[in-house]
Amino acid sequence: MRGDSDFPLSDRDLTELAVWERGREDRSVRAAIVRDAAQGVSVAQSARGLAVSRPTVMAWRQRYAEAGLAGLDHRRRSGRPPRIDEADAVAATLAGPPPPLERWSARALAEHLGVSHSAIGKVWQRWGAQPGVQGGPVLLASEAPVACHRPELLAVWAGAGGAGLVVAESDRPERLSTVPAGTEERRQRYATMTAGLRQARVRAEDGPDAAPVPAELARLAEWFPGRTTHVVLWGDHAATVPLPSGAVRHVASPAMGWVATAGVVAQLELRHQPHRARGALDSLAAATRVQAGARVGEPFHWFRAGDGAAGMSSAVSGQRSFHRFTPASFNEKLVIESIRVAGTLSRVEIAERTGLTPQAVSGITRNLLTTGFLTEGDRRTVGRGKPRVPLRLRPDAACAIGLHVDPGMITQVLVDLCGNVRDRRRLVLLRPSDPRWCVARMTDMVRAAMESVGEQAGRPLGVGVAVPGPLDFDAGMLLDPPLFAGWGEVPLRAWLGRALGLPVLLENDATAATVGERWLGAAESSGDFVYLYLGTGAGSGAFLNGDVFRGSSGNAGEIGQLTAYATGRLEADGSPRPVAECAPLSAVVARAAAAGMTLPAKGTHAAVCAAAAAGDPRAVGAIRDVAQVIARGAAGVTDLYDTDLLIVGGPAVPPEVAPLYLSEISRAVNDFPTARRVRRVRVTHSTLHDAAAVGAAAGVFHSAFAPPPARTPRHDRRPVRTVGRDTSLGDQEGVL
C-alpha cells in the first residue's frame, strides 16, 4: 500500500541519488529504499520487494532523513569488511600517509580506508606494492597482470560502452640521481586526479552506447614507436573490442577501478620520473576540466603528448654569473642548490651542471662534508674510470621554521634541509587578537616544535613569517592589514626575533607560497612562473629570472586593484572599488547562501566545497562566479609578466574544487591576452599543503643557499637585522 511520503524528493534530489548510485552495486539497495520512502511505499512492502529486513529499511530511511546522501555511506562497524577497490588501496599506499606518519602500516591504511588489515595485506601481496619495497615491479592485477617497473600513462578514456587506459614502460634511461616527488605532492595529485576522472566518467557514461575505445588508439604505434603498449579495458566488450597491432590486451578484474588504476600508474611515474610525470598529469587535469564543460554523454579521451617533459627547464643551469659576489660564497651556494634540485650528484656531475672546475668542486664539497651539510652515498661505477661517489644533502644538517599569520589561524611548520615537514601546529583565532598576544603564542609554538623535534632536524637557520599585505619589507613591519582589527603598524620581525633569538624573514603570504612552490612544489624544475594564492584574500607572487620578485617594498603581486580595473568596478573618480570576489573564502560562502544553500554554523566554506564536489549546482555556481572574476585579474598578471606557468593554491582551493577554479582561470589567461597566439599558459594546482607556512620556511633556505642572480633588488642587497644573534650563519647580528 502506498501513502504520502515523509520526505518527497525533488528532481534534483533524484538526480543526485542516481549519480551517487551509478556504477556501485553495493549502493543500489540503499537508493531503492530511499525512492520507496519518497513514493510512500510502506516499510513492510519495501522490505519484501527488496528482500531485506524491516529494521534495515527503517535504518536507511532514518539516516537519509537526518543527513541526506552522506547518511547513506557505510559506517565503520565490526564484522565482515566491505569490498574494496584494490587499485585505490595500492594508489593510497604509493601516495603515502599524512604526517606525521612516514609510511603506511597495514593497520593504519586499513583504518584509513575502513577495511580489515588482513585485506590490505592480501592486496599488497597480489600487487607487489608493500610500503618501502621498491625493488620489484607493481603488478596491475588484471586477468593478465601488467608488470610496471617504470611505467608511463599514455592514454585514458571512458564512455557509455566502457573505459580503458594504456600503459608502457618508459623509454628514457633511468637516472640514479632522480628525486621522487614528495609525499604531499603525491597525495595532492592523487586527490585532484581522482576527482577529475570520476566527474569525467559520470558525464561520459550518460551518453548512448558506443564503441568503448577511441579511434585515436590506432595511432599509438605512430606516437610511441618501438614501445610495447598494454591496453587495460573495463566494460562488457573488454574481451572482444579490436586493438591496434602490437598492443597487448588486459581485461580488468572486478576488484580494480578505472580511476584508481590510472592513479597507481601515475604514482609510480611520480616516483621514477617526476619531471615528465608532472607535465603529463597537468595535461590530463586540463582534459578533465574541458570534459566538465562538455555536453552530457560526450565520451572522454586523453592521450599523452609524445614528450611529456617538453618545455621544462632548470633555473640552476643558467645561474653562473659572478657579478658583485665573491666566488667562494656564490660557488658554495651554487653547489648546494645543484645538489638540492637533483637529489644526489657526484663531483663530476656537479662540475658539469655548474660550470665550475673539478678542483673548485672538490674543495667546496670537502668543506661542506666537514661542516656536515653533505653526506656521501655508496660508490657507483659509470662506464670506465674511477667509481663516482654520490653526494646528497643531510636532512638533519639544518632546519627552518615557517609561520603563516592569517585572520582566523596561525599555522607553524618545521622543515628540514631536504624539505620534509617534521612538525606542524595550528592555533585557531576565534576573535580579533592583540598582536603582542599573537607573537607570544607564535613564540610558544616555535619553541614547542624545536623541543619536539630536537636534534633530528639540525640547527635552525631562522624563522620565516608569511603575512597578508601590506607590509614594509625593509623595516619588517606589518601595516594595518585587512581583517586584523587593532593591529596598525606592527614591527613583527623585531618582536619575534627578540623573543626567539633567531633571524626572522617577514614575507607577503603570496610571495612566501611562491618560494615554497619553487623549492618544494610544482614549480621545482621551472624557470619563470606566477603563483596565485587564494585564501582570506587573493594575491600573487612571481619567480622571475631565477629569483623571487618582491618589488621595491615587498608588496608585489597585489591583484585586487588589477581585478577591479579588469572588471570595470570603479568609483566615480576612476579609482578601483574593493572586489568582494578577491576574498574568495567569504565570497564563495556568501554566494552559496544567496543561492539558497543551508550552511552550518562552522566550516561553511568546507561545506560549500563538499557540496560542489557532489554536484550541487548552487555550490558549483558560487565557486565558478568567484573564479571568473579572479580569472580576470590572473589574466592581467600573466600578461604583465609574460610567463607560461601559473600555479593556483591556497586554502580557498582544496583538491575537490580545484578543477572549477583552474578551468575558469585557464580560459581567461589563454583566451583574453593579446599574446595568446604565441604564448600558451599552463595552469596547474599547487602541490603544497599549508603553502604559505611551508613557503615561509623555504624562504629561509632560499635566502641562505640560493645563488643570487646577477641583479638583485635593493631589499635583497641590504641585510635584514633582528636583535637576536644568528648562531648558524656566523657572527653577524641576526642577518638573514
Side-chain angles (χ1 to χ4, degrees):
M1 178 177 179
R2 297 178 183 267
D4 295 332
S5 170
D6 292 331
F7 46 99
L9 300 183
S10 65
D11 290 341
R12 191 190 68 199
D13 293 333
L14 290 169
T15 300
E16 291 178 349
L17 185 63
V19 171
W20 176 84
E21 176 193 11
R22 183 179 292 115
R24 293 286 299 271
E25 294 182 2
D26 58 315
R27 294 179 173 182
S28 60
V29 172
R30 282 168 274 165
I33 288 173
V34 173
R35 293 193 189 93
D36 282 352
Q39 295 170 6
V41 177
S42 69
V43 171
Q45 280 186 314
S46 184
R48 285 195 299 270
L50 298 173
V52 297
S53 67
R54 282 183 290 179
T56 297
V57 173
M58 290 187 291
W60 289 117
R61 287 188 179 195
Q62 181 179 356
R63 284 171 59 169
Y64 183 81
E66 292 173 350
L69 287 177
L72 297 182
D73 286 330
H74 273 302
R75 297 173 181 170
R76 291 293 314 277
R77 59 186 176 85
S78 60
R80 185 182 179 88
R83 183 174 182 177
I84 64 171
D85 181 344
E86 292 187 0
D88 185 44
V90 173
T93 302
L94 297 172
L101 295 177
E102 295 185 358
R103 65 175 63 174
W104 285 116
S105 66
R107 291 189 181 276
L109 183 57
E111 179 71 20
H112 175 72
L113 297 176
V115 298
S116 70
H117 70 275
S118 60
I120 294 297
K122 292 177 182 177
V123 170
W124 284 349
Q125 184 176 10
R126 278 194 293 272
W127 290 65
Q130 190 166 351
V133 179
Q134 301 182 14
V138 170
L139 300 176
L140 305 187
S142 52
E143 290 186 5
V146 184
C148 296
H149 294 266
R150 295 172 56 237
E152 289 184 345
L153 188 64
L154 304 187
V156 293
W157 67 90
L165 58 84
V166 179
V167 182
E169 286 294 307
S170 174
D171 60 344
R172 300 294 180 94
E174 185 172 5
R175 294 177 56 191
L176 297 178
S177 60
T178 297
V179 180
T183 302
E184 287 193 3
E185 177 181 357
R186 298 198 306 270
R187 295 178 65 242
Q188 186 85 290
R189 284 191 178 275
Y190 183 54
T192 302
M193 179 182 183
T194 299
L197 287 179
R198 282 178 178 165
Q199 292 181 10
R201 185 166 191 182
V202 166
R203 294 183 68 86
E205 286 180 338
D206 284 338
D209 194 4
V213 297
E216 294 90 339
L217 204 64
R219 303 187 63 185
L220 281 176
E222 173 187 342
W223 290 337
F224 305 101
R227 303 174 68 179
T228 301
T229 55
H230 299 268
V231 183
V232 186
L233 297 163
W234 285 257
D236 296 337
H237 309 291
T240 57
V241 294
L243 296 180
S245 176
V248 182
R249 182 192 309 272
H250 304 267
V251 178
S253 74
M256 54 190 292
W258 171 69
V259 173
T261 303
V264 170
V265 180
Q267 289 298 316
L268 290 170
E269 190 169 350
L270 285 168
R271 173 191 293 175
H272 295 292
Q273 48 182 27
H275 298 313
R276 285 172 60 82
R278 287 171 183 135
L281 294 179
D282 285 344
S283 170
L284 176 56
T288 61
R289 294 195 294 272
V290 171
Q291 178 72 7
R295 68 178 186 273
V296 175
E298 184 75 19
F300 171 70
H301 299 160
W302 172 81
F303 285 84
R304 186 183 189 128
D307 185 358
M312 295 189 179
S313 62
S314 173
V316 177
S317 60
Q319 297 176 352
R320 298 181 183 172
S321 171
F322 292 83
H323 178 64
R324 294 193 304 102
F325 293 94
T326 60
S329 173
F330 181 90
N331 291 349
E332 190 170 271
K333 291 183 176 183
L334 186 59
V335 169
I336 291 174
E337 171 70 350
S338 300
I339 296 174
R340 187 196 66 80
V341 172
T344 60
L345 287 176
S346 69
R347 291 169 177 82
V348 173
E349 291 167 330
I350 293 172
E352 292 172 349
R353 291 192 177 213
T354 62
L356 299 173
T357 65
Q359 294 81 358
V361 171
S362 179
I364 291 170
T365 55
R366 182 168 54 250
N367 291 337
L368 292 174
L369 285 165
T370 301
T371 56
F373 275 97
L374 297 183
T375 184
E376 292 183 336
D378 296 330
R379 295 175 180 268
R380 65 176 191 262
T381 302
V382 181
R384 296 181 178 179
K386 185 178 179 181
R388 297 180 179 180
V389 180
L391 302 173
R392 62 172 60 87
L393 295 177
R394 281 184 53 190
D396 60 349
C399 67
I401 294 96
L403 287 159
H404 180 210
V405 184
D406 189 76
M409 181 179 295
I410 297 175
T411 304
Q412 175 264 318
V413 296
L414 189 149
V415 182
D416 68 24
L417 189 57
C418 292
N420 304 304
V421 176
R422 295 297 189 93
D423 186 274
R424 193 189 307 269
R425 299 166 191 266
R426 293 184 177 85
L427 175 64
V428 177
L429 304 177
L430 300 178
R431 62 185 185 280
S433 303
D434 176 77
R436 289 188 180 274
W437 181 89
C438 288
V439 169
R441 301 290 79 73
M442 286 187 275
T443 302
D444 293 340
M445 294 169 73
V446 170
R447 287 174 176 166
M450 293 169 59
E451 183 177 350
S452 174
V453 175
E455 297 180 357
Q456 297 178 9
R459 60 185 182 270
L461 295 177
V463 180
V465 186
V467 295
L471 58 86
D472 184 335
F473 184 93
D474 284 337
M477 185 173 291
L478 198 55
L479 304 175
D480 197 14
L483 305 179
F484 282 81
W487 277 52
E489 296 183 356
V490 179
L492 190 58
R493 188 180 68 207
W495 287 359
L496 197 58
R498 186 179 300 115
L500 290 171
L502 289 170
V504 175
L505 175 66
L506 189 66
E507 195 83 275
N508 179 278
D509 52 8
T511 303
T514 303
V515 177
E517 285 292 337
R518 176 61 180 84
W519 271 65
L520 306 171
E524 191 176 1
S525 63
S526 301
D528 296 351
F529 71 96
V530 170
Y531 185 100
L532 185 60
Y533 183 84
L534 304 180
T536 304
S540 70
F543 207 94
L544 306 174
N545 196 28
D547 201 8
V548 62
F549 179 77
R550 295 187 177 94
S552 62
S553 65
N555 291 289
E558 176 57 48
I559 70 168
Q561 293 191 344
L562 188 62
T563 306
Y565 284 117
T567 56
R569 302 187 188 186
L570 308 175
E571 302 289 359
D573 62 354
S575 61
R577 293 203 311 264
V579 178
E581 291 83 355
C582 285
L585 283 175
S586 57
V588 164
V589 171
R591 286 181 177 266
M597 285 190 66
T598 302
L599 299 174
K602 296 181 180 179
T604 51
H605 183 264
V608 175
C609 291
D616 188 324
R618 298 168 298 180
V620 171
I623 293 174
R624 282 198 181 278
D625 289 346
V626 171
Q628 287 171 0
V629 176
I630 292 174
R632 298 295 299 274
V637 171
T638 53
D639 231 0
L640 181 67
Y641 292 132
D642 192 26
T643 55
D644 60 2
L645 174 61
L646 175 64
I647 300 172
V648 182
V653 195
E656 61 266 26
V657 299
L660 297 175
Y661 280 96
L662 299 187
S663 61
E664 296 297 334
I665 294 171
S666 181
R667 183 176 68 87
V669 300
N670 286 300
D671 291 352
F672 297 163
T674 55
R676 59 185 178 272
R677 293 182 60 187
V678 295
R679 181 189 65 228
R680 185 73 186 173
V681 180
R682 180 164 63 94
V683 181
T684 186
H685 190 215
S686 169
T687 61
L688 291 182
H689 180 51
D690 293 332
V694 174
V700 174
F701 292 134
H702 185 73
S703 297
F705 299 126
R711 294 183 179 180
T712 309
R714 174 177 58 88
H715 58 262
D716 279 343
R717 296 198 299 268
R718 294 170 52 186
V720 177
R721 299 183 181 273
T722 67
V723 176
R725 178 182 179 88
D726 182 357
T727 60
S728 60
L729 300 179
D731 292 332
Q732 304 166 8
E733 185 182 348
V735 176
L736 185 62

